[in-house]
Amino acid sequence: MSISLEEVRHVARLARLDLDEPELLAFQGELNALLGHFQDIQGIDVEGLDPKPHAVGLHNVWAEDLARPGLIRDEALRNAAVSRAGLFIVPTIIEE
Amino acid sequence: MLTQLSATELAAKVRSGDVSAVEVTEAHLDRIAKLDSELGAYLHVDREEALRQATAVDAMVKAGNGGFLVGVPVAVKDNISTLGMPTTCASRILEGYVPPFDATVVAKLKEAGAIVIGKTNLDEFAMGTSCENSAFQDTHNPWDPDRSPGGSSGGSAAAVASEMAPLSLGSDTGGSIRMPAALCGIVGFKPTYGRISRYGLVAFGSSLDQIGPFGRSIEDTALLASVLSGHDPLDSTSLPDSAIRSEGLKDGSLKGLKVALPKQLFGAAINAGVMDALEMAIENLEREGVSCTQVDMPSIDYGVTTYYIIAPAEASSNLARFDGVRFGPQVQGDGHIGNFSATRGKLFGHEVKLRVMVGTYALSAGYYDAFYHRAQQVRGLMAAEFESVFRSYDLVMSPTSPIVAFKLGELKQDPMALKMLDLCTIPANMGGFPSLSLPCGFSQDLPVGMCLTGPVNGDERLLQTAYAIEQALPWGHRRPPLP
């Protein structure tokens, strides 16, 4: 099993990572090396085993629906790359 | 010298008025000024802010108040949020970010009268085992500055080992507290998952991440664990009744203690010098009445592979929040998605991008069942194997790291060798088990760590046993050769 350069490009797009050609090639090599190791667990008999998604499972953790102080707007915006009029500013997404 | 005292001693002295919190803080700031240009343990130290905190603590003590850590400086790993103090995760993508809130553990430190003395270096987003993946600087091992302190919490381990802080905080996803503790010759503790709140820890692998303490002794480490632990409604994975009690720490006995030694961690995977040091320690413990038995735990061999599917999968999802809009710098691309991708492509380091790619791939359509789902099934198998061993034994013992501190740059070209360094520590994260590393000897004049792992919620018993082991082993007082 190996991953093609086209697949690497696809994964980078899914992951929102803008990579140049040399980087894509480097990741292709490293991903293929790791995928080789992933084969180590393919032979294990896991038939009927429940997946364990969490270290110590808790179920149905509820919180009281109470109002409590949150971040004030200016603090929430303080680390923004661009903000204006109390808003985070991003490029236009929906054309008119 | 104040910097040589334990946290327990420092808190007692400040409480009794013997010394002030300002004097203790100044002594540590002076030592940082003297040593840290060589060691590179800290990313951020704010002298004025630390002294301002210390002055407030002194006023508290004068008024007859004060918690368990009055006047004790604590260094905090830079992936834990600190109000008004930079928190970068050693990544360019968070350069200049100043959190508007304190992590629960930081709030607890302040309530206990501790001084947050600085933020420590790590592998970017805690992804690594050498601290070399930091975007800003290398950290050097206090025992030999040409060597790595281990990772990812290498800055926190180096700061405590070099007496630039008596205590520090780290985070452990696959061994990131215990492994650097071993390489720096100190104690590092990863409690049961859920006993210390993760609120304010920048998430890497949420089902594996756990904050924990570093100290130069079990007593100090247990003291800090007791301050940090407890249920937190802000972390929905926080366990109920999760306070770690440190009373009774010194009441443990080694007589009749049953220890399992996994065959898989006592073989060819472990360096001979590390093995010799651990075996000598085991002989010492057997003379004290501990019974050590080799057991077969085959699932340990699948740990690293399973980890490198689960942790990157969770990371690829967690790191999606770094979009260059709400925090950190922004790199211009074509439109919104273009900005998003350019920011992440330029500002994440290589290892972080690799893990995000691995995780995205493992979760993508067509591969989910073969990789992520199967890895979770194997994770269940590993946890069950440990649980069955805990039915017959008090704890599992192994080396913490297969090798002693390695030269900076030595393993950089061998990514798989770096990943294998977590072999002994990964199982505890898989099952959420409490696990710690304590110094147990030396090889080539470099410290060797012993890893002890107990059953879920066996934190108090584990610390008690570790305290008794520490008293029985003659290594506790050796310090790094520093001025």
Side-chain angles (χ1 to χ4, degrees):
Chain A
M1 173 165 199
S2 74
I3 176 166
S4 69
L5 194 60
E6 224 17 72
E7 284 176 287
V8 178
R9 215 185 297 277
H10 176 64
V11 172
R13 198 158 45 231
L14 288 176
R16 299 281 187 254
L17 290 169
D18 195 1
L19 304 177
D20 57 25
E21 217 52 28
E23 269 187 303
L24 286 168
L25 280 167
F27 282 126
Q28 185 188 14
E30 289 182 70
L31 282 171
N32 277 323
L34 276 171
L35 284 177
H37 290 285
F38 287 2
Q39 300 310 311
D40 299 351
I41 62 164
Q42 296 305 319
I44 305 171
D45 183 13
V46 291
E47 188 67 33
L49 282 180
D50 285 332
K52 183 177 170 62
H54 234 277
V56 181
L58 289 173
H59 297 281
N60 295 339
V61 177
W62 299 94
E64 289 298 317
D65 189 13
L66 294 172
R68 53 168 181 249
L71 274 185
I72 60 167
R73 193 174 65 184
D74 286 351
E75 280 179 8
L77 288 169
R78 192 172 300 151
N79 285 288
V82 194
S83 72
R84 203 162 48 236
L87 301 166
F88 292 102
I89 300 300
V90 295
T92 311
I93 296 169
I94 301 166
E95 303 287 330
E96 274 180 47
Chain B
M1 245 169 43
L2 287 173
T3 52
Q4 290 172 342
L5 298 183
S6 72
T8 312
E9 291 166 324
L10 286 171
K13 277 183 179 296
V14 172
R15 201 174 292 120
S16 69
D18 228 10
V19 292
S20 68
V22 167
E23 286 172 294
V24 173
T25 305
E26 269 178 338
H28 285 89
L29 288 167
D30 290 349
R31 189 156 174 86
I32 293 169
K34 182 168 143 194
L35 294 181
D36 205 42
S37 54
E38 294 284 316
L39 292 175
Y42 286 92
L43 286 174
H44 180 78
V45 177
D46 184 340
R47 194 181 175 96
E48 270 174 38
E49 166 59 20
L51 289 172
R52 196 194 57 73
Q53 287 180 46
T55 307
V57 167
D58 281 330
M60 226 164 80
V61 173
K62 274 218 176 67
N65 303 318
F68 288 110
L69 292 177
V70 275
V72 179
V74 180
V76 176
K77 188 177 182 181
D78 205 30
N79 61 347
I80 297 174
S81 303
T82 42
L83 172 71
M85 223 178 186
T87 299
T88 65
C89 294
S91 180
R92 299 255 174 241
I93 212 161
L94 278 176
E95 208 167 356
Y97 170 63
V98 179
F101 68 104
D102 271 330
T104 296
V105 286
V106 173
K108 280 177 180 266
L109 285 180
K110 290 177 178 172
E111 271 166 38
I115 315 298
V116 178
I117 196 158
K119 303 297 294 288
T120 54
N121 197 26
L122 62 152
D123 287 295
E124 184 176 358
F125 284 103
M127 297 178 186
T129 48
S130 69
C131 246
E132 292 167 296
N133 292 337
S134 166
F136 302 120
Q137 64 196 39
D138 279 345
T139 295
H140 301 262
N141 192 308
W143 292 88
D144 175 353
D146 291 338
R147 292 174 191 269
S148 162
S152 67
S153 314
S156 285
V160 169
S162 59
E163 295 166 352
M164 295 194 290
L167 295 171
S168 63
L169 301 189
S171 65
D172 190 313
T173 306
S176 280
I177 291 175
R178 292 160 288 159
M179 191 267 187
L183 268 50
C184 291
I186 60 168
V187 177
F189 174 39
K190 182 204 87 70
T192 296
Y193 182 87
R195 291 194 73 167
I196 292 179
S197 167
R198 293 184 298 114
Y199 178 73
L201 169 70
V202 179
F204 162 15
S206 306
S207 79
L208 304 160
D209 294 342
Q210 183 57 63
I211 292 177
F214 286 98
R216 290 191 292 266
S217 66
I218 294 288
E219 185 176 24
D220 275 8
T221 307
L223 173 67
L224 181 52
S226 71
V227 166
L228 302 173
S229 61
H231 179 69
D232 179 14
L234 297 175
D235 171 4
S236 58
T237 60
S238 160
L239 295 173
D241 306 321
S242 51
I244 296 173
R245 292 165 303 278
S246 59
E247 309 89 63
L249 178 72
K250 300 180 182 176
D251 300 340
S253 158
L254 294 181
K255 228 163 233 86
L257 187 75
K258 287 190 288 186
V259 173
L261 311 174
K263 202 173 83 184
Q264 282 70 16
L265 299 177
F266 281 80
I270 311 299
N271 166 277
V274 169
M275 210 69 270
D276 289 347
L278 185 62
E279 271 165 6
M280 209 148 77
I282 289 172
E283 276 172 35
N284 272 323
L285 296 178
E286 284 175 331
R287 275 197 290 277
E288 302 281 330
V290 178
S291 92
C292 298
T293 314
Q294 237 187 41
V295 296
D296 190 20
M297 301 180 74
S299 78
I300 287 176
D301 286 338
Y302 308 130
V304 174
T305 301
T306 308
Y307 176 81
Y308 276 96
I309 295 171
I310 293 175
E314 295 183 6
S316 74
S317 162
N318 277 324
L319 269 57
R321 62 171 59 88
F322 299 103
D323 56 6
V325 173
R326 291 160 297 158
F327 23 70
Q330 186 180 77
V331 178
Q332 294 298 311
D334 184 16
H336 177 51
I337 300 298
N339 283 355
F340 195 171
S341 304
T343 301
R344 293 161 62 82
K346 289 284 175 299
L347 301 179
F348 279 146
H350 185 85
E351 184 67 23
V352 173
K353 284 188 272 194
L354 175 65
R355 296 202 198 188
V356 167
M357 297 276 285
V358 170
T360 305
Y361 183 73
L363 290 175
S364 63
Y367 299 107
Y368 179 90
D369 281 333
F371 294 133
Y372 189 62
H373 186 79
R374 175 170 280 266
Q376 288 195 331
Q377 287 173 308
V378 177
R379 178 181 187 175
L381 206 69
M382 293 183 74
E385 192 172 273
F386 270 74
E387 280 154 10
S388 101
V389 167
F390 291 139
R391 280 195 277 279
S392 313
Y393 298 91
D394 297 305
L395 50 90
V396 171
M397 180 191 288
S398 73
T400 307
S401 162
I403 56 174
V404 291
F406 45 95
K407 291 243 161 86
L408 286 162
E410 188 182 340
L411 298 178
K412 240 181 172 168
Q413 298 314 315
D414 192 350
M416 210 50 216
L418 279 169
K419 291 178 169 56
M420 287 308 287
L421 297 182
D422 282 338
L423 173 72
C424 309
T425 47
I426 280 172
N429 301 83
M430 292 293 178
F433 306 123
S435 182
L436 60 80
S437 178
L438 83 159
C440 74
F442 285 82
S443 167
Q444 309 163 252
D445 275 329
L446 294 165
V448 172
M450 163 194 283
C451 184
L452 304 175
T453 302
V456 161
N457 281 331
D459 302 65
E460 284 86 353
R461 179 83 203 281
L462 181 68
L463 288 164
Q464 210 179 49
T465 307
Y467 180 83
I469 291 177
E470 183 186 48
Q471 303 310 305
L473 298 177
W475 309 113
H477 300 292
R478 197 165 156 188
R479 304 265 51 104
L482 290 168

